[in-house]
Amino acid sequence: MSLKIAATSVRENAYAPYSNFKVGAAIRAASGKVYVGCNVENVAYPEGTCAEAGAIAAMVAAGETQIDEAYVIADSPTPVPPCGGCRQKLQEFAGGTVRVTLATTSGNETHTTIADLLPGAFAADHMTKS
């Protein structure tokens, strides 16, 4: 399945009654399987879940831990990048060269990488004691 189709489809399931800003995300794991997520808002705003986090959680729940590609779509004038927390979450499961496509529902796309989204990322090797 194409990541674009998967992300576009799951975006329709987003629960966004407060912002009405629906986001869909699809990631391809190392196995080739596609996992999807959509944003889920909560009246207590900080308690919501981002689309990227939902897709990652689905991947991990299925027993996978490696992202090979990601696609994020929203209805906005320009492609919307992941929030800071989701950039860190994506980095946790993907190498710096992994491709990320950011898209709008009108067809605009921007292609980037994990490293470009999160330069100087905090990584597991930072926790190694000297």
Side-chain angles (χ1 to χ4, degrees), residues 22-116:
K22 295 182 173 188
V23 181
I27 55 177
R28 185 176 321 283
S31 68
K33 186 166 180 186
V34 173
Y35 298 94
V36 296
C38 59
N39 57 318
V40 178
E41 292 180 350
N42 187 288
V43 69
Y45 258 89
E47 298 305 315
T49 305
C50 296
E52 301 90 335
I56 291 167
M59 178 188 73
V60 172
E64 298 202 58
T65 57
Q66 180 62 46
I67 297 171
D68 281 357
E69 187 177 359
Y71 192 101
V72 181
I73 188 168
D75 183 13
S76 58
T78 58
V80 177
C83 72
C86 284
R87 291 175 194 216
Q88 185 67 42
K89 288 174 182 75
L90 287 164
Q91 188 277 332
E92 181 75 16
F93 299 100
T97 61
V98 166
R99 177 182 165 134
V100 180
T101 302
L102 309 172
T104 68
T105 56
S106 63
N108 295 329
E109 290 186 351
T110 299
H111 304 283
T112 188
T113 64
I114 297 293
D116 286 341

Side-chain angles (χ1 to χ4, degrees), residues 1-11 13 25-29 31-37 69-71:
M1 173 182 279
S2 112
L3 292 182
K4 180 178 183 175
I5 291 170
T8 300
S9 178
V10 75
R11 181 187 162 276
N13 296 337
I27 55 177
R28 185 176 321 283
S31 68
K33 186 166 180 186
V34 173
Y35 298 94
V36 296
E69 187 177 359
Y71 192 101

Side-chain angles (χ1 to χ4, degrees), residues 111-128:
H111 304 283
T112 188
T113 64
I114 297 293
D116 286 341
L117 283 173
L118 190 61
F122 181 75
D125 62 346
H126 287 110
M127 296 179 66
T128 304

